[in-house]
């Protein structure tokens, strides 16, 4: 299934924000900053990426359900695998 680029704008923005946060994590490490600061920022990056992933999967599922073919056309195992890959 292909993703609708216009629906992905918020996801793209979230990933770009996470990219900036990740650069901040690298900077903290290079500066020898406190472990707690580094881990806190790394957790924020991880959460942002997880949310982006869930938004992508949810959008794909919604597209499947509204494509006109109904629930029977959704590859449930494939969608389950995508969700679990984010866990």
């Amino acid at each position: 299934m292909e993703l609708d680029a216009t629906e992905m704008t918020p996801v793209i923005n979230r990933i770009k924000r996470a990219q900036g946060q990740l650069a901040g994590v690298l900077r903290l490490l290079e500066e020898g900053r406190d472990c707690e600061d580094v881990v806190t920022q790394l957790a924020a990056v991880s959460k942002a990426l997880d949310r982006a992933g869930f938004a992508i999967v949810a959008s794909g599922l919604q597209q499947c359900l509204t494509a006109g073919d109904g629930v029977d056309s959704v590859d449930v195992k494939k969608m389950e695998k995508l969700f679990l890959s984010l866990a």
Side-chain angles (χ1 to χ4, degrees):
M1 101 191 71
E2 291 185 21
L3 298 169
D4 181 350
T6 57
E7 289 183 20
M8 290 295 105
T9 300
V11 175
I12 291 167
N13 290 339
R14 183 182 301 268
I15 292 173
K16 285 180 179 180
R17 206 169 318 124
Q19 186 177 28
Q21 289 174 312
L22 187 56
V25 170
L26 287 171
R27 190 173 50 255
L28 291 174
L29 288 170
E30 291 169 347
E31 294 171 357
R33 297 284 295 271
D34 184 64
C35 176
E36 185 178 350
D37 294 339
V38 173
V39 172
T40 299
Q41 288 303 309
L42 197 54
V45 173
S46 179
K47 188 171 185 174
L49 292 175
D50 286 346
R51 287 181 181 224
F54 284 122
I56 291 168
V57 173
S59 177
L61 182 57
Q62 183 178 13
Q63 286 179 21
C64 286
L65 293 174
T66 58
D69 297 331
V71 176
D72 294 335
S73 69
V74 176
D75 185 342
V76 176
K77 288 292 182 191
K78 185 176 183 179
M79 296 308 289
E80 181 179 325
K81 185 176 179 180
L82 285 172
F83 271 112
L84 291 176
S85 72
L86 296 170

